[in-house]
Amino acid sequence: MNITNFISIFISAVFVNNVILSRFLGLCPFIAISKETKPAIAMSFAVSFVIFMSSVISWCIYRFLLIPFNLIYLRTITFILVIAAFVQLVEMIIRKFFPVLYRFFGIYLPLITTNCAVLGVSLLNTDMFFNNGKALTGSFYYSIFQSLCVGLGYTIAMILMSAIRERLELCNIPKPFKNFPIAFVIASIMSMSFLGFNGFKF
Amino acid sequence: MFVAVIILSLLGFIFGISLAIVSKFLKIKVDEKLERICKILPGANCGACGKAGCFGFAQAILSRELSLDCCKVASNEAKVLIADILGIKFEKKVRLVAVVHCNGGCKVKDKFIYNGIEDCIYANLELGGQKECFWGCLGFGTCVNACPFGAISMSAEKIPIIDTNKCTGCGKCVEICPKKLFSLVPVNYDVYVACNSFDVGKLTRKICPVGCIACGICTKVTNSTFYIKDNLAYIDYDKIKDEKMLYEAMSKCPVKCIVKRP
């Protein structure tokens, strides 16, 4: 466990393997809630929170429950259980304290359950920081840090996208391209630019 | 296999219990009247009542913060239903619809070539728009996009046309038009003054063939149902006794700026 590992995890999770633009996980809110900046930020915070909490708990369950009982093949279903429970929790909190946001998110809030970014991070943590069923040294801290960084990368991608789409509102776009088609075009261009962090190989 | 089943059900049990406990703490009361009112309201979320949407308005009328009249969109029948739920009486009022006080459009020349964003609000920032008439319609159709009910369309003359059947009188167009060309009028009178120019008659005549020159003929013909203020004719809706007078004024108007709603 040393500082260089943390730095490489940070750069890898935020930029090189950005969860939306390089791994293509969790695209549903990326397209649907990126029309304005404020809800986009709120949504990415909700997703980041779920990613963080679920990766903490799923790490504990994986380390102390699944490995000792030799049940690694159950990890997908247990992780989904954890995520579903946490999304319920977030939904209750938002409904109680931010009713306007709750109505704005609508169906997309429960859909965080099926957001593959959340499951993806939990699975990635167990893939990266476990070796043959044994936790690497500092694996727990790496997992937490990676989940935080992925949340940050998610937020950055959402803010970029929503800012671009806010400006697009004033542009003269051909009618068939309005709203979602142009959003997909932008998403692909942004993803190509993030490919620059990966480097090209011919 | 047995262990797997036990562990999974244990996990599910723990999560279920903890969620149940949390939901007890985070419970919110939902008034069933609120949902019923929400269903009856138009659901356009136009915001004309001053609230963020129909849900906010339903809350406001439940807490008696706003009265039912604040919603201009809901039909009278819907309002009667809501009044039943609230246990109050509702008095019917005449529906209001929007009219455009300009008929210039293509008939008015441009004073310069405008190449900016095709939006009235932005065009208006450039010396008050490209039209020779400072007060008239710029014709980019910002109001068309602003209308939540699709009641406004642009004519070939580059003037907004309002579909009276679709118009609910929410007042969104009144707010958004940078030239303040829209106003809400009672639906039962279909004559209005299609001009907004405060210029003196001589100047108006030079710029626009259908601009009001404030000659005052309409005032004389209708016995002051029309009145002139700031070089522009207005209709005083409180003073209307006979609808025929409006039509007479329409036919007598020398520049034909008093028109009938389509």
Side-chain angles (χ1 to χ4, degrees):
Chain A
M1 195 169 105
N2 54 24
I3 192 81
T4 48
N5 281 353
F6 281 110
I7 291 174
S8 68
I9 287 175
F10 175 79
I11 291 179
S12 149
V14 176
F15 297 113
V16 181
N17 291 320
N18 185 296
V19 65
I20 290 177
L21 296 170
S22 295
R23 287 194 201 276
F24 309 112
L25 297 176
L27 292 174
C28 167
F30 180 61
I31 299 294
I33 316 227
S34 60
K35 239 184 152 181
E36 286 161 59
T37 310
K38 229 176 152 190
I41 291 174
M43 186 69 186
S44 42
F45 274 131
V47 173
S48 305
F49 178 71
V50 175
I51 288 180
F52 177 68
M53 290 311 288
S54 69
S55 66
V56 169
I57 296 209
S58 61
W59 189 91
C60 294
I61 287 176
Y62 190 72
R63 170 73 183 77
F64 297 113
L65 215 58
L66 298 188
I67 291 179
F69 289 101
N70 213 4
L71 292 171
I72 295 176
Y73 61 92
L74 277 184
R75 67 173 184 174
T76 311
I77 193 164
T78 34
F79 289 178
I80 286 196
L81 203 64
V82 172
I83 293 164
F86 260 94
V87 171
Q88 293 280 317
L89 181 68
V90 170
E91 195 181 340
M92 277 187 241
I93 291 173
I94 289 184
R95 192 171 177 188
K96 172 90 179 175
F97 297 109
F98 310 98
V100 178
L101 220 55
Y102 176 75
R103 289 190 310 112
F104 191 89
F105 284 160
I107 185 67
Y108 295 104
L109 193 58
L111 272 184
I112 300 179
T113 318
T114 53
N115 191 326
C116 39
V118 184
L119 181 64
V121 173
S122 300
L123 290 179
L124 212 66
N125 284 340
T126 54
D127 275 346
M128 279 172 76
F129 306 122
F130 284 83
N131 193 9
N132 289 330
K134 269 188 189 151
L136 303 176
T137 38
S139 144
F140 183 64
Y141 301 104
Y142 289 149
S143 309
I144 290 182
F145 190 66
Q146 168 147 295
S147 63
L148 280 176
C149 290
V150 167
L152 183 64
Y154 194 94
T155 314
I156 287 177
M158 283 288 273
I159 291 174
L160 285 178
M161 182 67 166
S162 57
I164 293 175
R165 283 187 73 183
E166 263 186 3
R167 298 204 66 162
L168 273 182
E169 287 278 295
L170 299 174
C171 294
N172 203 356
I173 307 166
K175 227 178 190 171
F177 272 99
K178 272 208 168 135
N179 270 334
F180 291 124
I182 197 79
F184 279 109
V185 173
I186 292 162
S188 67
I189 295 174
M190 278 167 74
S191 144
M192 272 202 280
S193 64
F194 265 69
L195 210 65
F197 289 113
N198 255 325
F200 288 99
K201 278 182 201 134
F202 293 104
Chain B
M1 180 64 202
F2 193 59
V3 183
V5 172
I6 286 183
I7 286 189
L8 260 192
S9 29
L10 196 73
L11 276 178
F13 191 69
I14 291 171
F15 285 134
I17 293 276
S18 42
L19 274 183
I21 292 169
V22 171
S23 76
K24 194 109 196 177
F25 281 110
L26 296 175
K27 211 171 165 186
I28 37 169
K29 263 193 215 161
V30 178
D31 198 337
E32 52 113 20
K33 274 183 187 172
L34 197 67
E35 274 178 21
R36 273 164 67 203
I37 294 173
C38 270
K39 263 184 199 160
I40 300 169
L41 282 174
N45 295 328
C46 64
C49 52
K51 293 285 164 189
C54 288
F55 184 77
F57 180 68
Q59 279 179 327
I61 47 175
L62 253 186
S63 61
R64 302 288 192 273
E65 185 190 333
L66 292 176
S67 77
L68 260 178
D69 297 330
C70 294
C71 183
K72 292 169 187 130
V73 179
S75 64
N76 280 328
E77 294 82 47
K79 282 184 183 171
V80 170
L81 281 178
I82 295 172
D84 271 352
I85 294 175
L86 292 171
I88 53 173
K89 269 193 179 175
F90 172 71
E91 290 158 28
K92 284 186 182 181
K93 280 191 179 159
V94 179
R95 191 161 73 95
L96 295 178
V97 289
V99 291
V100 192
H101 294 290
C102 181
N103 207 7
C106 294
K107 296 180 201 106
V108 181
K109 280 186 198 125
D110 288 357
K111 61 185 168 196
F112 59 85
I113 297 168
Y114 175 72
N115 273 332
I117 301 169
E118 295 201 355
D119 186 291
C120 301
I121 293 167
Y122 290 92
N124 187 39
L125 292 176
E126 311 285 346
L127 303 173
Q130 82 286 21
K131 290 281 178 197
E132 286 231 14
C133 175
F134 181 81
W135 314 100
C137 178
L138 300 173
F140 291 114
T142 300
C143 45
V144 178
N145 297 329
C147 181
F149 304 95
I152 305 178
S153 58
M154 293 306 276
S155 68
E157 295 252 284
K158 290 282 173 199
I159 285 289
I161 300 177
I162 294 161
D163 187 338
T164 313
N165 295 324
K166 284 186 190 166
C167 179
T168 57
C170 69
K172 276 267 154 181
C173 45
V174 179
E175 253 170 62
I176 202 144
C177 180
K179 296 292 189 190
K180 304 279 169 237
L181 289 176
F182 290 84
S183 70
L184 299 173
V185 300
V187 73
N188 42 358
Y189 304 116
D190 58 356
V191 173
Y192 67 99
V193 181
C195 185
N196 188 42
S197 169
F198 297 125
D199 288 334
V200 285
K202 211 175 161 189
L203 191 60
T204 311
R205 185 122 226 191
K206 221 161 135 191
I207 299 170
C208 180
V210 290
C212 176
I213 51 173
C215 58
I217 290 177
C218 46
T219 318
K220 280 172 213 151
V221 168
T222 60
N223 202 4
S224 310
T225 307
F226 282 78
Y227 63 95
I228 306 277
K229 196 182 145 199
D230 297 336
N231 300 318
L232 186 57
Y234 292 91
I235 301 177
D236 193 341
Y237 285 97
D238 295 333
K239 281 193 189 162
I240 298 176
K241 281 174 203 130
D242 192 2
E243 232 177 286
K244 276 175 196 159
M245 271 185 172
L246 295 177
Y247 293 122
E248 203 181 336
M250 190 170 86
S251 59
K252 290 274 164 65
C253 180
V255 287
K256 303 282 171 232
C257 75
I258 300 171
V259 294
K260 200 164 170 269
R261 221 167 34 214

